[in-house]
């Protein structure tokens, strides 16, 4: 098993150490699976970041109106909701690996539709396909990595994979300044095209195999993942025993009805709330309207984008190194506290700007506040909610729970993205004070209700919520 990463390591040293641990502690099958998860997250980030640097060139080349481009941007969220609706049932029905095949094919089709679009309908169709893929893979990726990783590497591997979402966004932002939008779409398809041949070599989740009655394959898959000389009998026995226990506890309810049983109330509340908190705390507003925030407070957009991107990635690397050392809960608390302070400082900067106070320092305060917000998000709230949501649900309701979490994230993101422009016009200060309130409530929620899951097997974690 992997040795713990030292708290004294620098982010770059910790990242290198983590990659070394994954390589040393895991087999080729797990490394392939980890690579697939990382490339999938990178593709996710490329899609999220694509619309910002390409807006003016797409509108000019295709002669689009503001309304046309707004539809192109917002239809991604429609796809997210559609993907969230089907992700749970799809992954339970055809398995984790087959679903990864589906999502990456949709990614490629979406990019090609955008790259070769001559009319707005094909542009929108490509974006819709991408949204559906993201809606499925946003929950599938963490679930798959969580179900196959050794317990001491589970948090770090999943967090490292999710870190590549931020890398994808930053890369597309940078390439978008020098590459034409059609060529950028072709480049965006490369991560998914790279994943497709790797899918022939990655194993199915042993927990899904146990769920569907393929018990004989569980130990075989675990040996592939842990190494042929590893003793996996205890791990296989624990998976099979817990799966059988869950089946015996079933009372005839299926799908969503089963998810709403009293015994799942705590895990459902924690999972859905953690997934929705970053969105309701202003993430979509900060992400989609960063340029407006900087311009309104007198900050150079180029300086702002570069600063926030670098800080978010460094914080993500640090969070990845610490997630299996300091634990999920403590990082969530630090991350949420930082987002709270970032929102509060942003509100103060707009208050000072509106009242013409400290005009020379306001742009600096605004830049620091936005950087603090994104850096804090990258440290914990960017990846850990998905990790915890993929850990706390038993396999019999994991599909339905994935759908619920996906819907919570997509709908809350859409609400904030849709309303932010109107709220910003009403009162910029008031808008960020609202986000400050939500992040403050989120801090209290995490402190009171979210348990620590570091170092526990999935079956041990899920037993915490069995009452």
């Amino acid at each position: 098993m992997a040795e713990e990463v030292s708290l004294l390591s620098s982010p770059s040293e910790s990242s290198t150490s983590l990659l070394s641990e994954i390589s040393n502690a895991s087999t080729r099958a797990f490394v392939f699976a980890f690579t697939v998860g990382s490339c999938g997250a990178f593709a996710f980030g490329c899609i999220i970041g694509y619309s910002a640097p390409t807006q003016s060139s797409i509108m000019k080349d295709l002669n689009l109106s503001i309304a046309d481009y707004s539809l192109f941007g917002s239809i991604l969220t429609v796809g997210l909701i559609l993907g969230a609706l089907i992700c749970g049932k799809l992954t339970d029905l055809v398995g984790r690996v087959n679903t990864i095949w589906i999502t990456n094919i949709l990614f490629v089709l979406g990019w090609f539709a955008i790259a070769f679009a001559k009319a707005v309908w094909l542009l929108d169709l490509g974006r819709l396909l991408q949204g559906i893929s993201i809606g499925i893979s946003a929950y599938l990726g963490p679930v798959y990595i969580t179900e196959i990783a050794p317990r001491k590497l589970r948090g770090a591997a999943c967090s490292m994979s999710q870190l590549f979402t931020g890398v994808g966004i930053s890369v597309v932002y940078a390439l978008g300044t020098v590459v034409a939008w059609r060529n950028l779409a072709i480049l965006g398809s490369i991560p998914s095209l790279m994943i497709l041949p790797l899918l022939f070599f990655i194993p199915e989740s042993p927990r899904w195999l146990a769920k569907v009655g393929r018990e004989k394959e569980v130990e075989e898959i675990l040996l592939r993942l842990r190494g042929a000389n590893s003793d996996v009998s205890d791990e296989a026995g624990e998976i099979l025993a817990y799966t059988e226990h869950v089946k015996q506890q079933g009372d005839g309810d299926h799908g969503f009805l089963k998810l709403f049983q009293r015994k799942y109330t705590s895990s459902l509340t924690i999972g859905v709330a953690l997934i929705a908190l970053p969105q309701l705390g202003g993430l979509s507003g900060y992400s989609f309207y960063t340029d407006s925030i900087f311009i309104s407070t007198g900050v150079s957009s180029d300086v702002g984008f570069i600063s926030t991107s670098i800080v978010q990635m460094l914080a993500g690397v640090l969070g990845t190194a610490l997630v299996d050392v300091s634990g999920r809960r403590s990082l969530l608390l630090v991350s949420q506290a930082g987002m709270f302070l970032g929102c509060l400082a942003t509100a103060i900067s707009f208050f000072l700007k509106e009242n013409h106070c400290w005009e020379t320092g306001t742009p600096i305060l605004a830049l620091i506040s936005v950087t603090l917000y994104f850096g804090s998000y990258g440290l914990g709230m960017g990846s850990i909610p998905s990790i915890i949501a993929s850990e706390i649900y038993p396999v019999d309701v994991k599909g339905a729970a994935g759908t619920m979490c996906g819907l919570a994230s997509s709908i809350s993101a859409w609400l904030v993205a849709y309303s932010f422009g109107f709220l910003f016009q009403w009162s910029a200060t008031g808008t960020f004070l609202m986000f400050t309130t939500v992040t403050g409530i989120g801090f209290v929620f995490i402190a009171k209700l979210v348990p620590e899951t570091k170092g526990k097997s999935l079956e041990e974690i899920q037993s915490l919520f069995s009452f």
Side-chain angles (χ1 to χ4, degrees):
M1 286 294 179
E3 298 295 328
E4 291 186 340
V5 180
S6 172
L7 281 166
L8 300 177
S9 299
S10 69
S12 59
E13 291 170 340
S14 297
S15 178
T16 303
S17 177
L18 174 60
L19 290 172
S20 177
E21 287 183 72
I22 289 175
S23 177
N24 294 335
S26 308
T27 63
R28 184 179 300 176
F30 179 72
V31 173
F32 276 146
F34 174 78
T35 303
V36 166
S38 300
C39 287
F42 183 81
F44 187 163
C46 291
I47 290 170
I48 297 297
Y50 180 78
S51 60
T54 58
Q55 178 176 353
S56 58
S57 56
I58 291 177
M59 291 180 66
K60 180 180 179 181
D61 289 353
L62 297 182
N63 195 28
L64 304 184
S65 65
I66 293 293
D68 290 333
Y69 196 80
S70 296
L71 178 61
F72 172 70
S74 62
I75 204 169
L76 181 71
T77 307
V78 176
L80 279 167
I81 295 173
L82 293 175
L85 281 171
I86 65 174
C87 72
K89 191 68 175 177
L90 185 62
T91 54
D92 279 350
L93 184 64
V94 304
R96 299 353 181 190
V97 174
N98 286 333
T99 307
I100 295 174
W101 273 102
I102 293 170
T103 57
N104 280 281
I105 290 170
L106 290 177
F107 276 145
V108 172
L109 291 175
W111 280 121
F112 283 0
I114 292 172
F116 298 105
K118 299 296 184 182
V120 68
W121 70 267
L122 189 55
L123 196 71
D124 292 340
L125 177 61
R127 201 65 168 163
L128 180 65
L129 291 175
Q130 291 180 334
I132 293 171
S133 301
I134 291 176
I136 298 171
S137 61
Y139 190 73
L140 169 64
V143 165
Y144 178 65
I145 294 293
T146 296
E147 289 183 344
I148 66 171
R151 70 173 70 181
K152 288 187 178 180
L153 275 180
R154 190 176 63 236
C158 193
S159 184
M160 186 78 169
S161 175
Q162 295 301 296
L163 173 65
F164 280 87
T165 299
V167 175
I169 293 173
S170 300
V171 167
V172 168
Y173 274 162
L175 289 176
T177 61
V178 294
V179 177
W181 65 274
R182 293 187 188 275
N183 293 334
L184 188 60
I186 296 293
L187 292 175
S189 69
I190 292 176
S192 294
L193 290 171
M194 290 174 59
I195 288 173
L196 292 176
L198 292 180
L199 293 178
F200 289 105
F201 303 100
I202 68 171
E204 184 52 84
S205 161
R207 289 171 172 85
W208 181 80
L209 292 172
K211 175 182 181 292
V212 298
R214 294 162 60 180
E215 293 89 351
K216 293 181 180 180
E217 298 177 52
V218 171
E219 189 164 334
E220 175 188 337
I221 293 297
L222 286 173
L223 285 171
R224 285 183 61 194
L225 289 167
R226 308 290 182 256
N229 297 323
S230 301
D231 182 3
V232 298
S233 56
D234 289 345
E235 185 177 5
E238 186 178 18
I239 291 171
L240 293 172
Y242 187 77
T243 302
E244 183 62 29
H245 169 73
V246 169
K247 289 179 180 178
Q248 291 176 356
Q249 294 296 311
D251 53 9
D253 285 339
H254 299 282
F256 283 105
L257 291 178
K258 190 169 188 177
L259 183 62
F260 288 100
Q261 291 177 5
R262 184 177 179 180
K263 63 182 177 180
Y264 298 124
T265 301
S266 179
S267 57
L268 180 62
T269 301
I270 290 171
V272 169
L274 280 180
I275 290 291
L277 263 177
Q279 304 297 343
L280 296 177
L283 179 63
S284 295
Y286 272 99
S287 299
F288 296 155
Y289 295 92
T290 307
D291 195 45
S292 299
I293 295 170
F294 286 145
I295 291 173
S296 298
T297 52
V299 177
S300 166
S301 295
D302 290 340
V303 172
F305 276 123
I306 292 171
S307 300
T308 54
S309 297
I310 292 174
V311 170
Q312 184 174 344
M313 282 196 292
L314 291 177
V317 171
L318 180 62
T320 297
L322 298 180
V323 68
D324 280 325
V325 179
S326 62
R328 282 72 151 150
R329 187 173 179 274
S330 56
L331 272 184
L332 281 176
L333 288 170
V334 173
S335 176
Q336 190 71 8
M339 292 174 71
F340 169 83
L341 293 174
C343 288
L344 180 60
T346 305
I348 293 172
S349 67
F350 275 108
F351 177 80
L352 295 173
K353 182 74 173 179
E354 291 165 0
N355 291 276
H356 305 288
C357 301
W358 197 39
E359 294 186 358
T360 56
T362 299
I364 299 173
L365 179 61
L367 177 60
I368 291 173
S369 69
V370 176
T371 303
L372 175 61
Y373 181 92
F374 279 113
S376 299
Y377 170 76
L379 181 66
M381 290 301 291
S383 61
I384 297 178
S386 294
I387 297 174
I388 292 179
S390 64
E391 291 176 329
I392 62 177
Y393 299 112
V395 69
D396 61 325
V397 296
K398 188 164 283 189
T403 294
M404 285 297 297
C405 290
L407 284 174
S409 177
S410 300
I411 293 173
S412 56
W414 176 80
L415 285 173
V416 172
Y418 178 79
S419 62
F420 185 86
F422 302 107
L423 292 171
F424 196 72
Q425 287 184 335
W426 161 68
S427 171
T429 302
T431 299
F432 287 100
L433 285 177
M434 290 170 60
F435 294 149
T436 302
T437 302
V438 172
T439 52
I441 293 171
F443 181 88
V444 175
F445 176 86
I446 293 167
K448 294 291 186 181
L449 296 178
V450 177
E452 181 55 70
T453 62
K454 181 192 75 170
K456 297 181 175 68
S457 71
L458 296 185
E459 289 69 32
E460 288 172 338
I461 294 168
Q462 290 150 17
S463 296
L464 296 174
F465 299 95
S466 299
F467 53 81

